[in-house]
Amino acid sequence: MACGLHFGRESASGGWRWRLGAALLGLLLAACVREPFRVRPKTDPPVSETRAVAVAETDYVLRARAVWDGNELVDRFDANHLTAGMLPVYVWLDVRTAAPLDLKAFRFRLHDAAGQTWRLLSVRQSEKRLMKSYGIRAYSVDGYQTFRRRYTDSCFPTTGTVAAGERADGFLFFEIPRARRDLPAGTLWLEVERRGPGSHTVTRIELPAADVVTSSAPKE
């Protein structure tokens, strides 16, 4: 977004107008450099694994944690996904096999106690829902690029490979069904399916029940 104003100094008596214009220009430029949301770098600080649930497979170990703490989300993303109708789930994938794992082979699904599947949102979809929920319409090009880079870096990667002894980790964002947005979420299950040459593994990770009730998200 290009921002700019021109103020001229016509006379000494008009000095106050020039100073007022300069002050307004300063405020405008400050607004122009703002990011839609000021997302923390992924490692500043890393997401805690203290409350994560781990399940081990032959080739890898999966850990997952649903983030129901709105304050934690605001501290990290400058926004609360819960009030935008999304549940962030952080996933850690540690590789234990000698051969690298292809991240494209993994699929993630979230189910509730009623058997309903919560839709996995893409990075772009979750960005748009946040901006709509907060009514964000004005930001600079540079600020938006910084936001997108940090936001994308915070998400679980969907492409590439992970070598032995290495880790892939990041957020997944699931749409909270409208019927559940005014009710306690209860226990959830993250289902991780891996399809590879000659192999098919499905891992279910039970995520503890939460008593949090999310507020209604904006209409789509």
Side-chain angles (χ1 to χ4, degrees):
M1 179 176 67
C3 297
L5 290 176
H6 176 73
F7 295 97
R9 189 190 309 198
E10 298 179 355
S11 65
S13 62
W16 69 271
R17 295 189 183 90
W18 182 86
R19 288 191 293 272
L20 176 60
L24 291 174
L25 177 61
L27 291 173
L28 178 62
L29 291 177
C32 286
V33 299
R34 170 159 172 78
E35 304 156 23
F37 300 98
R38 294 178 179 174
V39 180
R40 280 179 178 265
K42 184 175 181 178
T43 57
D44 179 29
V47 174
S48 172
E49 297 180 52
T50 302
R51 288 169 285 170
V53 180
V55 176
E57 298 290 354
T58 303
D59 296 339
Y60 50 87
V61 176
L62 281 163
R63 293 177 176 83
R65 175 189 159 208
V67 182
W68 289 103
D69 186 342
N71 291 328
E72 181 178 353
L73 293 171
V74 171
D75 181 64
R76 179 165 297 275
F77 291 103
D78 194 27
N80 185 348
H81 291 73
L82 301 174
T83 59
M86 294 180 281
L87 174 64
V89 176
Y90 204 88
V91 175
W92 296 262
L93 171 65
D94 293 292
V95 178
R96 306 198 303 182
T97 182
L101 296 184
D102 185 358
L103 290 171
K104 288 184 178 179
F106 288 86
R107 296 290 183 270
F108 298 90
R109 289 180 286 271
L110 189 67
H111 306 283
D112 58 29
Q116 184 171 7
T117 300
W118 295 24
R119 183 167 69 104
L120 175 62
L121 301 173
S122 68
V123 175
R124 181 62 177 145
Q125 286 172 327
S126 63
E127 288 177 6
K128 292 176 68 174
R129 289 178 72 97
L130 268 189
M131 295 179 73
K132 180 177 180 179
S133 177
Y134 279 81
I136 302 295
R137 295 182 178 86
Y139 44 82
S140 72
V141 172
D142 290 343
Y144 181 65
Q145 290 176 345
T146 298
F147 157 68
R148 288 209 68 186
R149 182 175 64 254
R150 290 188 174 181
Y151 191 87
T152 301
D153 188 51
S154 297
C155 297
F156 191 87
T158 56
T159 60
T161 59
V162 189
E166 293 187 353
R167 161 179 286 186
D169 63 299
F171 281 97
L172 297 172
F173 299 103
F174 293 91
E175 180 181 33
I176 302 173
R178 288 193 175 276
R180 305 296 306 175
R181 289 178 189 169
D182 295 320
L183 299 171
T187 299
L188 301 173
W189 285 267
L190 180 67
E191 185 177 278
V192 185
E193 180 182 18
R194 181 204 173 201
R195 289 185 178 272
S199 65
H200 179 208
T201 305
V202 178
T203 306
R204 284 172 60 86
I205 304 175
E206 182 177 345
L207 303 178
D211 295 328
V212 176
V213 176
T214 61
S215 59
S216 297
K219 294 182 179 180
E220 300 176 4

